[in-house]
Amino acid sequence: MRLVFFDETKNDQQYPSYHIGAVVIEDAHLLEVEGIVNALATDVFGNAHLSQDTEFHAAEIYHRKKNFKDWGSFELRIDVLRRLVSILSLDCVHLIDIQINCDLLTENQSAEDIAFMFLCERSNDFMRKHKDLGMLIGDRESDKGAARHAGSLSHYKAKGTGFAFGREIRNLVDSVHFTHSHLSRFLQLADVYVWLQQFRARNRGSTNPRHQAVLSLLKEENVNLFASKYKEWPKRD
């Protein structure tokens, strides 16, 4: 069994793409990865108890918000991101990257719904390749959103996904499960991954020194955020 922890970027009128990022971990490695993140939490916050006070959010680290509002040193905050990136780069951690180019959609198309459909397809493809089963786990931000995703997955499992070359979903079990991100180190990793994917896409070519600090981090030796499964849609010319 492999668990697929996913998170979504917030809608941003100044950026034309919507992202879902997922972290895929086999059950045999869950305790190992959780232990590494907890060790980092202890170093950063003084304890690893799951709470909003010990939660990692990439945007808050970068922008010096909430748990990192007293961290005046940008270099120290970048080092926290570096340590989180090193966890995402572990051999036992696999990644799924979905990018929907919202400015290319028609008026009646939903970036969130299409992105989730592709997440289901790519997650199922990954499980089928490894002859395994998977379960989706997301960040509970609203009951309405959770119910929509659960209903969508149920439909895909019964009828297949919705486009011309739709897929049968046979390797994802049960429903989509949701919990609050402060209660899951794995959802926090998914948050960091999807934030980095959006950050890299929207700031590519920037000469801003702080942008460059993050972009340079992603090029460091032993950093590997290559996605095992990827989908960008619609493709830009």
Side-chain angles (χ1 to χ4, degrees), residues 41-80:
T42 299
D43 287 349
V44 171
F45 303 116
N47 71 83
H49 300 305
L50 289 171
S51 73
Q52 293 178 341
D53 294 331
T54 66
E55 184 174 9
F56 293 107
H57 274 298
E60 294 170 6
I61 298 170
Y62 180 81
H63 292 292
R64 193 182 169 189
K65 301 291 186 180
K66 294 188 178 179
N67 293 337
F68 292 88
K69 65 182 179 182
D70 296 327
W71 286 55
S73 169
F74 181 70
E75 290 74 18
L76 288 178
R77 300 201 310 277
I78 287 294
D79 191 59
V80 174

Side-chain angles (χ1 to χ4, degrees), residues 64-129:
R64 193 182 169 189
K65 301 291 186 180
K66 294 188 178 179
N67 293 337
F68 292 88
K69 65 182 179 182
D70 296 327
W71 286 55
S73 169
F74 181 70
E75 290 74 18
L76 288 178
R77 300 201 310 277
I78 287 294
D79 191 59
V80 174
L81 283 176
R82 178 177 290 108
R83 294 177 67 180
L84 289 163
V85 167
S86 72
I87 299 169
L88 290 169
S89 300
L90 292 171
D91 290 341
C92 62
V93 176
H94 300 274
L95 305 168
I96 298 174
D97 178 28
I98 308 295
Q99 176 179 325
I100 303 300
N101 295 318
C102 306
D103 54 325
L104 301 180
L105 299 179
T106 62
E107 185 176 349
N108 64 341
Q109 289 179 316
S110 163
E112 294 92 333
D113 291 343
I114 295 171
F116 181 72
M117 181 191 72
F118 284 131
L119 173 68
C120 293
E121 288 188 352
R122 293 304 183 265
S123 299
N124 189 78
D125 291 348
F126 182 90
M127 302 308 159
R128 187 173 58 188
K129 176 182 176 181

Side-chain angles (χ1 to χ4, degrees), residues 17 99 101 103-104 232-237:
S17 297
Q99 176 179 325
N101 295 318
D103 54 325
L104 301 180
E232 179 184 354
W233 192 87
K235 279 283 193 179
R236 298 192 185 278
D237 295 333

